[in-house]
Amino acid sequence: MGTLDGLPPLRDVINRHGLDARKALGQNFLLDLNLTQKIVRTAGSLEGVTVFEVGPGPGGLTRAILSLGAKKVIAVERDSRCLPALAEISDFYPGRLEVIEGDALKTDFAALAPEGPVKIIANLPYNVGTQLLINWLLPHQWPPFWESLTLMFQKEVGQRIVAREDDNHYGRLGVLCGWRTDARMAFDVPPQAFTPPPKVTSSVVHLVPNQNPLPCDVKKLEKVTEAAFGQRRKMLRQSLKPLGGEVLLARAEIDPTRRAETLSVHEFVALANLL
Ligand code: SAM
């Protein structure tokens, strides 16, 4: 049976290596190489690019990244059961796939970054996806080591990433992403596309760093968004009381009767800079 890339079908790989999906590891595998290629194309040209992948699993997305021309893939996988399957891909693409066995949350990606452009592409384990995104967005040094992030999330998380003011999904994550990146929703992926299917629809989100985000101390920005969205139904004069309330809002020239959801990213940055 032929496949797009000449390697065996993923279902065979999974059976041969006994890779029954484990829920605790957020394992929902993509077996359709047309779909994995569509995800990878969202990241744009991979010529000369090193791609970091989190959670390659049996390697469906990894294969698409390699077949679409990435110079190299550095993949971090926690489940040692997947390593023999990934070794087969590595043999097929000599010198182009490096697999690191470990926890992506404890991995210093910036330190692993080689010279030249880096893009991050991943079908993330849902239990750690948001934290990984935040880790990639927080570093003091900006622009960061990566040129883009192309990531699969539960749709609801994707909506929070791209949400801006006056949107029900707007919150702390939207402010952080809006401050440091240009984030867009690429497309939805239905549960049936995964093995096993998750309960909810997923979305691929694409983020590119803002080259010159407004200067702001990220800790202060977190402080103000945490207070404001912690009580999102309340007026800001109430929710921001512990941070100076009406006085702070007056200095930022923001109407104290507004609610968190109505403030633009710019306005949150202005408040943070006045703390
Ligand atoms: N990329 C594969 C695909 O698209 O079919 C698998 C995606 S699956 C949603 C998530 C993968 O992340 C699994 O292979 C799982 O073992 C791995 N994983 C879970 N937690 C991890 C962690 N903390 N660090 C690295 N990998 C992790």
Side-chain angles (χ1 to χ4, degrees):
M1 246 281 280
T3 53
L4 286 174
D5 61 0
L7 278 157
L10 278 156
R11 205 169 285 285
D12 291 359
V13 173
I14 288 173
N15 290 338
R16 199 153 36 81
H17 294 284
L19 301 178
D20 54 299
R22 304 239 161 113
K23 210 172 173 180
L25 287 167
Q27 291 182 333
N28 300 99
F29 301 134
L30 292 170
L31 307 190
D32 176 353
L33 292 174
N34 283 306
L35 176 58
T36 54
Q37 290 201 345
K38 182 174 172 191
I39 295 168
V40 174
R41 280 198 200 95
T42 307
S45 168
L46 296 184
E47 204 187 314
V49 171
T50 300
V51 174
F52 283 149
E53 187 190 359
V54 171
L61 201 54
T62 321
R63 284 164 58 165
I65 298 166
L66 288 164
S67 73
L68 290 174
K71 182 168 123 187
K72 189 171 176 184
V73 176
I74 301 176
V76 181
E77 173 57 63
R78 198 173 174 179
D79 184 354
S80 59
R81 296 179 311 153
C82 298
L83 302 186
L86 295 167
E88 289 174 6
I89 303 174
S90 192
D91 289 344
F92 193 80
Y93 292 102
R96 290 176 60 201
L97 172 59
E98 182 184 338
V99 180
I100 297 173
E101 184 185 356
D103 182 347
L105 284 173
K106 296 186 185 141
T107 303
D108 184 349
F109 289 94
L112 291 172
E115 288 284 312
V118 170
K119 295 185 178 183
I120 300 181
I121 304 178
N123 172 15
L124 292 172
Y126 288 144
N127 42 356
V128 297
T130 313
Q131 190 55 53
L132 278 168
L133 170 63
I134 291 172
N135 293 352
W136 288 320
L137 292 180
L138 287 186
H140 187 64
Q141 193 202 330
W142 205 266
F145 67 90
W146 45 268
E147 270 188 7
S148 66
L149 307 174
T150 305
L151 307 172
M152 177 96 76
F153 289 97
Q154 286 162 285
K155 181 171 182 170
E156 186 268 334
V157 177
Q159 286 169 317
R160 286 199 277 129
I161 290 168
V162 302
R164 299 298 173 259
E165 66 268 32
D166 299 321
D167 178 330
N168 281 342
H169 295 97
Y170 186 47
R172 295 169 63 188
L173 195 56
V175 173
L176 181 61
C177 293
W179 169 50
R180 284 207 138 165
T181 74
D182 183 12
R184 71 175 172 87
M185 193 69 107
F187 56 91
D188 289 347
V189 182
Q192 317 82 269
F194 299 85
T195 303
K199 289 206 173 67
V200 294
T201 298
S202 302
S203 299
V204 175
V205 180
H206 184 69
L207 303 99
V208 177
N210 279 338
Q211 294 303 305
N212 293 302
L214 296 165
C216 185
D217 174 345
V218 67
K219 293 220 169 62
K220 289 183 178 168
L221 187 61
E222 285 188 326
K223 212 168 177 178
V224 81
T225 54
E226 189 180 350
F229 288 107
Q231 304 184 64
R232 61 190 298 142
R233 306 270 161 249
K234 296 227 167 105
M235 292 181 196
L236 289 164
R237 70 170 167 227
Q238 180 64 32
S239 57
L240 295 185
K241 221 173 208 161
L243 303 178
E246 303 233 18
V247 176
L248 177 71
L249 290 158
R251 286 173 63 210
E253 299 182 3
I254 293 172
D255 177 351
T257 65
R258 286 170 65 186
R259 292 178 170 76
E261 227 168 80
T262 71
L263 257 57
S264 67
V265 173
H266 270 62
E267 288 174 310
F268 274 112
V269 168
L271 283 170
N273 284 334
L274 287 167
L275 284 186

